[in-house]
Amino acid sequence: MPKVKTDKKRENLTVAKQGILFNKNFGQHILKNPLIIQAMVEKSALRPTDVALEVGPGTGNMTVKLLEKVKKVIACEIDPRLVAELQKRVQGTHLQSRLQIMIGDVLKSDLPFFDVCVANIPYQISSPLVFKLLLHRPFFRCAVIMFQREFAQRLVAKPGDKLYCRLSVNTQLLARVDLLMKVGKNNFRPPPKVESSVVRIEPRNPPPPVNFTEWDGLTRIAFNRKNKTLSAVFKQSLVVTALANSHRIYCSMKNIPIPEDFDMKQKIEDVLKTGDWETKRARTLDIDDFMMLLTAFNKENIHFS
């Protein structure tokens, strides 16, 4: 029998013996190394009065450690089989009363109040979960989360870095982000195909004085062609048409008259000239640059929402 098939068969037998066949559709890779679990818990600086949120608790290896440290753990799990496993693990112990389980898709659920989030998440929900957490109110203190390594590197990338992208600038606008540790694939059961990293995310409180919907709209356009000049990016007919439509709606709502000879393409060029933006590229702009660019557009009643 070929080696690949033998290895796969051995892995399936091992998982079957444990009583749970992990669901690849849910991105289930259970963190099995107790030293990494302990390190993540310690980096979270938990307090006895805290409410901790855990996304994707799996069989409860992290959950039990959290329950020992905090007043309450809210565990959000989509797989009913793992919910049963988690309940069984704490049943009849002093930790049972501290555990609240939310069954369902965390992205479709209203998150309750929590102080800290500690999680080894399904990697396919990384980006939407980050922004769901960062836009959640009231503010939480920090999140310590396991991500795919390249995603983690994008979160912390700086202007000019190869991995610097819209995710980088949008996240760093709303939070301070730090890489804590690298985690090899063999620390999981079953092992994922990618390497992982743990990241600490601390929301900026108070948040920056910017409409995030507008900000996101601007960075979406700018990073669509991050290596092209802003002049080239904003000259695209789809961009000009979209901004012209939003300009018309905004002016209508505010009762601002629009001149008959108004030319959105020319207006965009004029805005870009005000700050010598035409030759700049999104991959080199930092948060302050995007703030100034958004302000320049808004002054001319050009909006991105």
Side-chain angles (χ1 to χ4, degrees):
M1 184 180 288
K3 186 178 186 304
V4 174
K5 286 190 177 179
T6 306
D7 288 348
K8 192 71 182 172
K9 187 177 179 183
R10 192 179 295 124
E11 179 185 309
N12 288 340
L13 283 171
T14 304
V15 173
K17 279 179 187 174
Q18 289 152 359
I20 294 173
L21 285 168
F22 295 112
N23 190 329
K24 289 183 180 179
N25 293 331
F26 294 154
Q28 290 173 347
H29 297 279
I30 306 302
L31 181 58
K32 66 180 183 179
N33 187 331
L35 295 177
I36 292 170
I37 292 170
Q38 189 61 37
M40 288 180 70
V41 171
E42 287 173 2
K43 298 284 186 184
S44 308
L46 296 167
R47 302 168 187 168
T49 54
D50 279 342
V51 174
L53 174 70
E54 186 183 10
V55 178
T59 54
N61 294 343
M62 177 94 72
T63 318
V64 171
K65 294 293 181 186
L66 294 173
L67 287 168
E68 292 168 351
K69 295 277 186 181
V70 299
K71 178 177 71 176
K72 181 181 180 182
V73 173
I74 301 167
C76 193
E77 176 57 61
I78 198 170
D79 189 340
R81 300 170 311 152
L82 293 179
V83 169
E85 191 74 17
L86 188 54
Q87 287 171 325
K88 193 193 309 178
R89 191 158 182 174
V90 298
Q91 200 167 9
T93 73
H94 69 289
L95 302 175
Q96 184 176 353
S97 61
R98 298 184 195 175
L99 177 63
Q100 175 187 335
I101 300 177
M102 288 175 58
I103 305 173
D105 185 342
V106 67
L107 298 180
K108 296 176 183 174
S109 306
D110 291 328
L111 294 180
F113 167 83
F114 63 96
D115 298 289
V116 176
C117 176
V118 189
N120 166 37
I121 66 167
Y123 291 165
Q124 65 263 36
I125 69 167
S126 296
S127 188
L129 180 65
V130 165
F131 291 104
K132 186 177 180 75
L133 291 175
L134 289 177
L135 297 173
H136 177 67
R137 299 293 180 271
F139 283 97
F140 60 95
R141 196 164 68 248
C142 78
V144 174
I145 303 178
M146 182 87 69
F147 293 113
Q148 180 177 337
R149 186 164 302 163
E150 186 174 303
F151 183 88
Q153 290 169 336
R154 289 181 189 278
L155 287 177
V156 301
K158 300 300 179 191
D161 290 352
K162 185 181 177 183
L163 291 177
Y164 186 65
C165 60
R166 182 168 147 253
L167 173 70
S168 318
V169 73
N170 282 8
T171 307
Q172 291 167 35
L173 171 78
L174 300 174
R176 177 183 166 182
V177 193
D178 297 297
L179 275 176
L180 296 182
M181 63 180 121
K182 295 178 179 179
V183 181
K185 58 183 77 169
N186 290 329
N187 293 289
F188 300 87
R189 186 182 76 244
K193 293 178 181 177
V194 295
E195 301 293 335
S196 304
S197 289
V198 177
V199 170
R200 186 177 193 274
I201 300 172
E202 186 179 330
R204 298 192 190 279
N205 186 8
V210 63
N211 179 323
F212 184 73
T213 305
E214 283 231 43
W215 171 277
D216 187 50
L218 170 63
T219 58
R220 187 186 297 273
I221 292 170
F223 278 100
N224 190 38
R225 298 281 188 275
K226 72 173 185 176
N227 294 318
K228 286 189 175 293
T229 64
L230 292 182
S231 178
V233 170
F234 279 91
K235 274 181 185 173
Q236 295 174 95
S237 58
L238 285 175
V239 174
V240 174
T241 302
L243 292 183
N245 288 338
S246 70
H247 173 73
R248 198 176 302 113
I249 293 167
Y250 180 83
C251 289
S252 173
M253 289 171 61
K254 300 290 182 179
N255 292 318
I256 300 169
I258 301 175
E260 285 186 20
D261 62 347
F262 181 80
D263 182 346
M264 177 52 77
K265 191 171 183 179
Q266 184 58 53
K267 180 57 73 176
I268 290 171
E269 285 182 19
D270 293 343
V271 170
L272 294 177
K273 283 176 184 173
T274 59
D276 294 326
W277 301 106
E278 313 110 298
T279 58
K280 293 178 181 174
R281 292 166 168 78
R283 62 180 170 80
T284 65
L285 301 183
D286 62 16
I287 287 172
D288 289 340
D289 292 327
F290 280 111
M291 285 272 202
M292 289 188 284
L293 183 58
L294 182 58
T295 301
F297 274 116
N298 287 172
K299 276 183 181 174
E300 299 298 329
N301 298 323
I302 300 173
H303 292 267
F304 295 85
S305 54

